[in-house]
Amino acid sequence: KELEVLDINVLDLLLGISLRVENPSINHYNGSIHRLGRALAETKDKRLIEEKMLSMISDHQLDDYNRMLIYYLFLNYNHSLPNKNNKLTNVRKLNAAIKTLPDYLATRLITNEKGK
């Protein structure tokens, strides 16, 4: 919430520090997926965040490892939401995005309605 007040693009920042690259710069910061999920759940534009994460999971140009990181980020984000109906809706959306992953991943990831 503090970053939003400073007019910093929180979505790009938090998603960017969630991703992993082979040769990061010395000052590159990798965020904790658990903490970032909780932080994203406290931001104001949840719809935009959800759409972006789901599109990243479905993005065939993003490598499988980073797609999986965003999958886990989405799970942590969803777990931190207070509204149970929103959580259920998000699980359904997540399961649709999972189907776009390679078969060796998708067959193991279908999320139940409790978000686990």
Side-chain angles (χ1 to χ4, degrees):
K1 290 182 180 181
E2 292 86 5
L3 294 173
E4 288 176 330
V5 171
L6 296 172
D7 202 27
I8 292 175
N9 186 330
V10 175
L11 176 60
D12 287 349
L13 174 66
L14 296 182
L15 290 176
I17 63 176
S18 299
L19 299 174
R20 303 299 186 263
V21 294
E22 187 174 335
N23 296 314
S25 67
I26 294 170
N27 297 330
H28 181 73
Y29 176 79
N30 287 319
S32 160
I33 297 299
H34 175 71
R35 291 178 64 205
L36 291 171
R38 190 173 62 231
L40 286 170
E42 295 176 3
T43 60
K44 61 183 173 185
D45 196 352
K46 291 173 182 45
R47 182 192 53 78
L48 180 62
I49 290 164
E50 292 163 8
E51 288 175 3
K52 184 65 175 175
M53 285 191 287
L54 292 168
S55 79
M56 290 174 76
I57 294 167
S58 301
D59 187 347
H60 297 286
Q61 293 184 2
L62 188 60
D63 63 281
D64 292 349
Y65 183 75
N66 280 307
R67 289 171 79 183
M68 291 304 303
L69 285 175
I70 300 301
Y71 163 80
Y72 285 112
L73 179 63
F74 192 96
L75 285 178
N76 280 285
Y77 160 81
N78 201 47
H79 177 75
S80 298
L81 294 175
N83 185 302
K84 291 184 189 250
N85 289 330
N86 289 350
K87 287 182 179 185
L88 290 174
T89 300
N90 283 344
V91 166
R92 292 183 193 107
K93 290 178 184 179
L94 180 59
N95 283 333
I98 287 170
K99 292 176 183 177
T100 68
L101 291 167
D103 287 341
Y104 77 95
L105 294 172
T107 56
R108 300 171 187 245
L109 295 178
I110 298 300
T111 305
N112 68 34
E113 296 209 350
K114 293 182 181 177
K116 297 181 179 186

